[in-house]
Amino acid sequence: MKIVLLHMPWGPIEVPSLALGILKNLADQRGHQVEVRHANLDFVDWIVEQTDFTLTDYQFFAESSYFQGAGDWVFSSALYDVDDERADRFARLLALNGATEEQISMSDLLYRKLPGFISDLADDVVSLEPDLVGFTSTFQQNTASLALARLIKQRRPAALTAFGGANCDGDQGLALHRNFAFMDYLIRGEGEVAFPMLLDALATDPSGRESAEDIGAFAAVPGLCWRLADGRSRSNAMATKPLAPAEIAAPDYGGFFDRYTDSVAGSWAEPRLVVEGARGCWWGEKHHCTFCGLNGSFMQFRSKSPDRFFREIVELAERYQLLDFFVVDNILDMVYLESVMPRLTEAGYDLRLHHEVKSNLRRHQFQRLGEAGAVSLQPGIESLSNHVLHLMDKGVTGCQNVRALRDADSAGVTAVWNYLYGFPGETLADYTSVIDQLPALHHLVPPIGAGRIAIERFSPYFDRPELGFQQLRAAPQYAATYRLPDQELDDLAYIFTSTPQGIDDDQAKLLSVAVQAWQDGYPGSRFAYHDLTDRILLISRRPAHNWGTLELRDDFELAMFRLLDQPRSLPTLVRQTGRSEAEVESMLNSWLLLGIVYTDDGNYLQVATEAHNQALLRVDNRQLPGGPGATVQLAGPEREGPEYVAATG
């Protein structure tokens, strides 16, 4: 059988498709002729000849506009036709969500041009005379995939079309198959078992359709949506158990990197490999974060053996001669910290890895990841307020999240995160204390932005209205994109809206302004420490904290600073230092004013990163504007012991 697998816009351009790499491997093993078409790269090469389209534009449609649906909407003209009234309506929707005039203009331009791209691509695919055309659809790949499948079916009726991917899970898949008759097959859930079974079924019935009286082969494929001879949609129950780790296939990325090098996209970004160690979420199995719908129908955590995961990374690096990896696991298997990571460090490949981790990792664990090649981590921080994190069921505290930012920085690893708000039960008080303290954190990596949560299918907020969101409806971009009844949109949608909860928009602006100030201040800010055993030297360069260096020499303050390497409460500090509550509280208040500590829900944490530049110990760097021995007067309660020696700046 001749099979063409398509990775449509707006799939990431700098990485191959893991899903199609796996399916290609499985189909190759069965002797089929398989070609993976990187249509997202075809699109880049096509559009740059038509417009002044850039990488920034691609990122807008692929990533930053996801919750507004711009990437799917611009291809709706190719799925249906150009409609000026719908274009005006969507432009207003984008403007309402903060899109710039340039983004709105480019959206309108693409909306009118993309039927031409889909037509050209359909001609190319049809010219290959495929027996089966397969699409993977995740995030904003739905409409482009549907539009192309429709034209392929028109121009080559004998070609069978099949869909899979995250957008096909659960009720979404049923709705897609039910509403788009040109789609022959759709697989809900993991494809490693279902796709080969579908290929075997097609080998026994190349027509691909059976009568109502004879539905044996296709009815046996778990999660398959298929059609009877009269065109009616039929669906099989999804698998009740997730794929075992040993059954998770390795990908074959053959052809991608040559194609990427030949594409205009190859000059936009360096290519990366995609690797998978685990599926599901071990934390979500116990405590499903209330807003998270990422794991779809299968939350159960399973991971490849450490030896297999290590070998896959090394084999991919050697085969494709690349060292940059994106690890797609939704959460790191903690076993890998003591098994895979040391082996990667010893292998000496100088890898550059991106992982998603839980934010309660400790300093030595960040160090181990960094030594193995992790250059960026997504620790799922989302908030610095203990109460809001409790509402999320995140299982971490605000101080632990600040510790994660601090310790990742000390280990030389970049944290990537977003600040979320809009949780039922939160109040302005959950944000005011955090906002007041953010200037002390300007040396740590700021969030990408602050945004109100969306309700995602498969999340507890979607499934359990008693948590605070009721009368859910499909987000407005679905009605703008698909010409379907409301009930069908509700079944097809992944993102939903409801009455906003938590802080209102005016209150949220306070957080957004504070986050913007953090982003602006971060490049020029620094706060680090040298522990020299008999003293600790603090070096600060943060606009809101007007001092340069400070030495801690007294046994009490040295003990306090070292204890605050981890979040501690006032009673704990009193007990462990042996000092009175008044003494401990006085020092904590002084350090809060200096931006040395962060506090949340009764816990305190020192926020200085570990300094590695020994040049900062030079005498001239410790010189005070007022000369040696100059001091800085601390506001707040008086304290006993030596004065702080500090440089004001």
Side-chain angles (χ1 to χ4, degrees):
M1 184 182 299
K2 192 170 186 178
I3 302 171
V4 176
L5 302 175
L6 285 131
H7 190 40
M8 295 295 288
W10 299 91
I13 56 172
E14 76 278 13
V15 296
S17 167
L18 175 66
L20 296 187
I22 289 173
L23 297 184
K24 180 181 187 303
N25 187 8
L26 295 172
D28 282 342
Q29 291 175 17
R30 282 163 173 75
H32 298 286
Q33 183 181 347
V34 186
E35 177 177 335
V36 174
R37 185 68 182 260
H38 310 287
N40 53 344
L41 300 181
D42 295 337
F43 164 75
V44 169
D45 293 339
W46 185 89
I47 196 62
V48 295
E49 294 183 354
Q50 309 283 326
T51 71
D52 57 354
F53 193 87
T54 67
L55 173 61
T56 300
D57 293 316
Y58 197 96
Q59 291 170 333
F60 171 74
F61 292 103
E63 300 170 17
S64 58
S65 71
Y66 173 62
F67 290 103
Q68 288 76 51
D72 266 330
W73 180 79
V74 293
F75 276 100
S76 65
S77 57
L79 177 59
Y80 301 103
D81 51 42
V82 174
D83 185 319
D84 290 337
E85 182 180 348
R86 282 178 172 268
D88 291 342
R89 189 189 320 163
F90 195 76
R92 292 193 294 271
L93 183 62
L94 283 179
L96 186 65
N97 284 284
T100 66
E101 291 184 8
E102 291 79 10
Q103 291 165 341
I104 295 170
S105 176
M106 181 58 75
S107 298
D108 186 76
L109 181 62
L110 293 183
Y111 178 73
R112 299 176 189 283
K113 283 187 171 293
L114 288 180
F117 167 70
I118 292 296
S119 180
D120 291 349
L121 183 58
D123 287 340
D124 287 348
V125 174
V126 167
S127 71
L128 300 174
E129 299 183 347
D131 301 304
L132 177 67
V133 181
F135 297 84
T136 180
S137 181
T138 300
F139 297 122
Q140 296 193 85
Q141 292 180 296
N142 236 23
T143 314
S145 300
L146 290 169
L148 183 60
R150 182 180 71 88
L151 280 191
I152 289 173
K153 202 67 177 173
Q154 285 180 0
R155 297 177 185 182
R156 182 175 169 81
L160 299 172
T161 58
F163 277 63
N167 289 334
C168 301
D169 204 353
D171 289 343
Q172 292 176 276
L174 296 177
L176 283 170
H177 195 259
R178 187 168 61 239
N179 284 285
F180 297 101
F182 51 78
M183 185 189 301
D184 293 302
Y185 305 105
L186 180 144
I187 292 173
R188 299 184 297 153
E190 296 168 304
E192 279 94 337
V193 173
F195 185 65
M197 289 182 68
L198 172 60
L199 297 181
D200 293 344
L202 289 172
T204 63
D205 183 5
S207 70
R209 298 196 177 189
E210 298 177 297
S211 68
E213 294 76 27
D214 180 22
I215 56 174
F218 296 101
V221 182
L224 182 68
C225 296
W226 47 285
R227 298 191 186 279
L228 297 174
D230 60 8
R232 284 180 295 157
S233 175
R234 294 289 298 265
S235 62
N236 303 336
M238 295 178 63
T240 56
K241 293 183 179 180
L243 206 64
E247 297 178 290
I248 300 175
D252 180 348
Y253 295 139
F256 170 78
F257 296 102
D258 288 339
R259 176 68 186 91
Y260 188 73
T261 300
D262 293 339
S263 171
V264 171
S267 65
W268 286 357
E270 291 297 318
R272 292 191 292 172
L273 286 159
V274 180
V275 68
E276 177 182 39
R279 292 182 186 174
C281 179
W282 52 261
W283 174 255
E285 283 189 88
K286 299 178 290 186
H287 297 275
H288 191 173
C289 297
T290 54
F291 64 94
C292 178
L294 285 180
N295 287 284
S297 298
F298 288 129
M299 178 66 73
Q300 294 95 321
F301 184 75
R302 44 252 129 95
S303 61
K304 297 173 182 176
S305 71
D307 183 63
R308 181 184 170 193
F309 186 42
F310 170 78
R311 284 188 289 104
E312 282 193 16
I313 293 173
V314 171
E315 288 169 4
L316 284 169
E318 292 178 343
R319 179 176 181 183
Y320 298 108
Q321 294 295 290
L322 281 175
L323 298 173
D324 287 301
F325 279 82
F326 186 86
V327 184
V328 298
D329 308 0
N330 282 336
I331 193 168
L332 176 74
D333 185 343
M334 298 297 284
V335 171
Y336 290 165
L337 284 170
E338 304 301 326
S339 55
V340 178
M341 299 307 151
R343 290 183 68 183
L344 289 176
T345 302
E346 294 168 4
Y349 278 88
D350 193 23
L351 298 173
R352 292 179 289 278
L353 306 170
H354 169 87
H355 293 271
E356 293 191 35
V357 299
K358 191 166 170 58
S359 62
N360 63 352
L361 293 185
R362 296 300 186 96
R363 170 68 177 82
H364 71 281
Q365 294 169 323
F366 282 112
Q367 186 70 34
R368 179 146 290 176
L369 286 164
E371 291 170 348
V375 293
S376 67
L377 299 174
Q378 188 171 333
I381 289 174
E382 272 101 40
S383 180
L384 303 181
S385 163
N386 195 46
H387 180 236
V388 177
L389 289 163
H390 177 73
L391 294 173
M392 298 182 197
D393 208 1
K394 290 288 288 186
V396 293
T397 67
C399 282
Q400 284 178 313
N401 279 347
V402 174
R403 183 187 68 186
L405 292 173
R406 183 200 69 189
D407 289 353
D409 184 278
S410 293
V413 179
T414 299
V416 180
W417 64 293
N418 287 288
Y419 210 116
L420 301 181
Y421 60 86
F423 296 90
E426 72 181 18
T427 67
L428 182 59
D430 294 318
Y431 293 88
T432 52
S433 175
V434 172
I435 290 170
D436 289 344
Q437 295 183 83
L438 290 189
L441 307 182
H442 279 194
H443 61 294
L444 302 177
V445 175
I448 294 172
R452 185 175 294 278
I453 61 167
I455 300 100
E456 300 178 350
R457 186 183 294 275
F458 307 114
S459 71
Y461 280 148
F462 177 81
D463 293 325
R464 298 172 56 193
E466 71 273 15
L467 293 179
F469 291 103
Q470 301 179 4
Q471 296 179 330
L472 298 178
R473 51 195 177 276
Q477 63 263 29
Y478 292 100
T481 301
Y482 300 98
R483 301 178 188 180
L484 297 173
D486 288 347
Q487 181 56 55
E488 296 299 325
L489 293 176
D490 286 344
D491 287 343
L492 179 148
Y494 179 76
I495 302 169
F496 293 81
T497 61
S498 183
T499 303
Q501 300 292 319
I503 58 175
D504 62 32
D505 289 344
D506 289 337
Q507 294 168 336
K509 286 180 182 177
L510 301 174
L511 177 63
S512 296
V513 169
V515 166
Q516 184 63 57
W518 189 351
Q519 294 170 342
D520 294 341
Y522 172 67
S525 296
R526 184 166 188 250
F527 182 39
Y529 76 93
H530 286 277
D531 192 331
L532 303 170
T533 307
D534 64 330
R535 65 193 188 283
I536 292 174
L537 177 66
L538 300 172
I539 309 102
S540 177
R541 187 170 68 241
R542 294 166 294 170
H545 296 283
N546 192 30
W547 55 274
T549 62
L550 185 153
E551 283 191 357
L552 309 180
R553 291 179 175 271
D554 178 68
D555 288 344
F556 175 33
E557 58 194 10
L558 290 174
M560 281 277 288
F561 187 86
R562 289 166 180 152
L563 283 169
L564 289 170
D565 183 64
Q566 302 301 323
R568 312 276 185 188
S569 66
L570 178 60
T572 298
L573 291 168
V574 169
R575 184 173 65 254
Q576 294 188 352
T577 61
R579 297 298 186 103
S580 70
E581 182 175 314
E583 288 178 293
V584 173
E585 191 168 22
S586 175
M587 184 171 291
L588 289 172
N589 288 335
S590 297
W591 285 3
L592 281 168
L593 290 171
L594 288 170
I596 294 173
V597 297
Y598 179 86
T599 183
D600 178 60
D601 199 24
N603 286 312
Y604 297 82
L605 177 83
Q606 73 83 7
V607 299
T609 60
E610 297 172 22
H612 302 292
N613 185 356
Q614 296 302 311
L616 289 168
L617 290 176
R618 295 197 315 261
V619 173
D620 57 344
N621 272 338
R622 297 165 57 194
Q623 189 72 23
L624 300 166
T631 61
V632 60
Q633 181 65 44
L634 301 180
E638 294 182 359
R639 57 179 299 277
E640 296 180 357
E643 291 182 302
Y644 290 160
V645 178
T648 58

mmCIF file of all heavy atoms in Angstrom, residues 582 585-587 589-590 593 634-640:
data_model
loop_
_atom_site.group_PDB
_atom_site.id
_atom_site.type_symbol
_atom_site.label_atom_id
_atom_site.label_comp_id
_atom_site.label_asym_id
_atom_site.label_seq_id
_atom_site.Cartn_x
_atom_site.Cartn_y
_atom_site.Cartn_z
ATOM 1 N N ALA A 582 11.110 37.399 68.570
ATOM 2 C CA ALA A 582 11.289 38.810 68.217
ATOM 3 C C ALA A 582 12.562 39.011 67.404
ATOM 4 O O ALA A 582 12.583 39.778 66.434
ATOM 5 C CB ALA A 582 11.318 39.664 69.481
ATOM 6 N N GLU A 585 12.030 37.452 63.889
ATOM 7 C CA GLU A 585 11.080 38.244 63.109
ATOM 8 C C GLU A 585 11.702 39.569 62.680
ATOM 9 O O GLU A 585 11.472 40.052 61.567
ATOM 10 C CB GLU A 585 9.809 38.487 63.920
ATOM 11 C CG GLU A 585 8.673 39.063 63.104
ATOM 12 C CD GLU A 585 7.353 39.020 63.853
ATOM 13 O OE1 GLU A 585 7.367 38.946 65.101
ATOM 14 O OE2 GLU A 585 6.309 39.067 63.181
ATOM 15 N N SER A 586 12.507 40.172 63.560
ATOM 16 C CA SER A 586 13.167 41.426 63.218
ATOM 17 C C SER A 586 14.105 41.251 62.031
ATOM 18 O O SER A 586 14.131 42.073 61.104
ATOM 19 C CB SER A 586 13.949 41.951 64.428
ATOM 20 O OG SER A 586 14.698 43.097 64.087
ATOM 21 N N MET A 587 14.877 40.166 62.037
ATOM 22 C CA MET A 587 15.787 39.941 60.916
ATOM 23 C C MET A 587 15.018 39.661 59.636
ATOM 24 O O MET A 587 15.362 40.155 58.553
ATOM 25 C CB MET A 587 16.738 38.790 61.230
ATOM 26 C CG MET A 587 17.780 38.569 60.133
ATOM 27 S SD MET A 587 19.050 37.385 60.609
ATOM 28 C CE MET A 587 19.920 38.318 61.863
ATOM 29 N N ASN A 589 12.076 40.742 58.801
ATOM 30 C CA ASN A 589 11.513 42.007 58.312
ATOM 31 C C ASN A 589 12.584 42.865 57.642
ATOM 32 O O ASN A 589 12.329 43.508 56.615
ATOM 33 C CB ASN A 589 10.862 42.772 59.468
ATOM 34 C CG ASN A 589 9.571 42.132 59.931
ATOM 35 O OD1 ASN A 589 8.912 41.422 59.164
ATOM 36 N ND2 ASN A 589 9.201 42.364 61.184
ATOM 37 N N SER A 590 13.780 42.885 58.227
ATOM 38 C CA SER A 590 14.875 43.636 57.616
ATOM 39 C C SER A 590 15.230 43.060 56.250
ATOM 40 O O SER A 590 15.451 43.788 55.279
ATOM 41 C CB SER A 590 16.105 43.615 58.525
ATOM 42 O OG SER A 590 15.837 44.256 59.759
ATOM 43 N N LEU A 593 12.755 43.938 53.525
ATOM 44 C CA LEU A 593 12.963 45.289 53.000
ATOM 45 C C LEU A 593 14.129 45.333 52.018
ATOM 46 O O LEU A 593 14.111 46.103 51.050
ATOM 47 C CB LEU A 593 13.209 46.264 54.151
ATOM 48 C CG LEU A 593 11.999 46.559 55.045
ATOM 49 C CD1 LEU A 593 12.426 47.356 56.263
ATOM 50 C CD2 LEU A 593 10.929 47.315 54.258
ATOM 51 N N LEU A 634 19.184 50.225 58.152
ATOM 52 C CA LEU A 634 18.025 49.404 57.836
ATOM 53 C C LEU A 634 16.795 49.970 58.517
ATOM 54 O O LEU A 634 16.827 50.343 59.688
ATOM 55 C CB LEU A 634 18.247 47.969 58.311
ATOM 56 C CG LEU A 634 19.470 47.251 57.707
ATOM 57 C CD1 LEU A 634 19.562 45.852 58.270
ATOM 58 C CD2 LEU A 634 19.348 47.225 56.199
ATOM 59 N N ALA A 635 15.695 50.029 57.753
ATOM 60 C CA ALA A 635 14.429 50.457 58.353
ATOM 61 C C ALA A 635 13.847 49.304 59.157
ATOM 62 O O ALA A 635 14.261 48.161 59.028
ATOM 63 C CB ALA A 635 13.464 50.895 57.250
ATOM 64 N N GLY A 636 12.861 49.594 59.973
ATOM 65 C CA GLY A 636 12.213 48.543 60.730
ATOM 66 C C GLY A 636 12.764 48.439 62.130
ATOM 67 O O GLY A 636 13.565 49.268 62.579
ATOM 68 N N PRO A 637 12.371 47.382 62.839
ATOM 69 C CA PRO A 637 12.788 47.223 64.229
ATOM 70 C C PRO A 637 14.299 47.162 64.353
ATOM 71 O O PRO A 637 14.993 46.666 63.469
ATOM 72 C CB PRO A 637 12.145 45.879 64.629
ATOM 73 C CG PRO A 637 11.053 45.657 63.633
ATOM 74 C CD PRO A 637 11.494 46.307 62.374
ATOM 75 N N GLU A 638 14.812 47.685 65.453
ATOM 76 C CA GLU A 638 16.248 47.630 65.686
ATOM 77 C C GLU A 638 16.665 46.181 65.907
ATOM 78 O O GLU A 638 15.907 45.352 66.385
ATOM 79 C CB GLU A 638 16.612 48.463 66.920
ATOM 80 C CG GLU A 638 16.363 49.957 66.738
ATOM 81 C CD GLU A 638 16.784 50.735 67.957
ATOM 82 O OE1 GLU A 638 17.242 50.107 68.928
ATOM 83 O OE2 GLU A 638 16.642 51.971 67.941
ATOM 84 N N ARG A 639 17.909 45.888 65.522
ATOM 85 C CA ARG A 639 18.407 44.531 65.701
ATOM 86 C C ARG A 639 19.745 44.584 66.410
ATOM 87 O O ARG A 639 20.510 45.538 66.259
ATOM 88 C CB ARG A 639 18.564 43.823 64.353
ATOM 89 C CG ARG A 639 19.487 44.552 63.380
ATOM 90 C CD ARG A 639 19.620 43.791 62.069
ATOM 91 N NE ARG A 639 20.196 42.483 62.259
ATOM 92 C CZ ARG A 639 21.492 42.241 62.346
ATOM 93 N NH1 ARG A 639 22.354 43.236 62.273
ATOM 94 N NH2 ARG A 639 21.941 41.017 62.513
ATOM 95 N N GLU A 640 20.018 43.538 67.160
ATOM 96 C CA GLU A 640 21.304 43.434 67.831
ATOM 97 C C GLU A 640 22.316 42.791 66.899
ATOM 98 O O GLU A 640 21.973 42.219 65.871
ATOM 99 C CB GLU A 640 21.153 42.592 69.098
ATOM 100 C CG GLU A 640 20.230 43.233 70.130
ATOM 101 C CD GLU A 640 20.099 42.374 71.355
ATOM 102 O OE1 GLU A 640 20.676 41.266 71.367
ATOM 103 O OE2 GLU A 640 19.432 42.810 72.288
#
